[in-house]
Amino acid sequence: MAKLKITQTGSPIRRAPIQKQNLIGLGLNKMHRVRELEDTPSVRGMIRVVNHLVKVEEIA
């Protein structure tokens, strides 16, 4: 299964609670943290909510 490398680039300060919760769900809650997660529809949905706060790269 494909993997995604997700890096947090934006701060969760002054963001909607749902955006903060999605960052925590992705394993990101501080700037410049990086996580590798499997590419699933649920992860893609969480990324879509916080796409302005993260950078996503596909890993082969």
Side-chain angles (χ1 to χ4, degrees):
M1 184 159 229
K3 289 196 152 215
L4 299 172
K5 180 179 177 182
I6 306 166
T7 306
Q8 184 175 345
T9 58
S11 174
I13 295 173
R14 292 188 295 166
R15 303 291 177 181
I18 191 73
Q19 292 175 352
K20 291 180 184 181
Q21 292 168 358
N22 275 309
L23 284 174
I24 292 169
L26 290 169
L28 307 168
N29 61 347
K30 293 186 180 176
M31 293 287 291
H32 308 293
R33 289 225 174 151
V34 178
R35 294 289 182 257
E36 289 184 11
L37 301 172
E38 291 193 15
D39 188 6
T40 62
S42 60
V43 170
R44 286 284 182 168
M46 293 170 75
I47 291 171
R48 191 176 309 117
V49 173
V50 293
N51 65 352
H52 58 290
L53 300 174
V54 297
K55 181 175 105 175
V56 180
E57 301 171 26
E58 291 189 21
I59 300 174

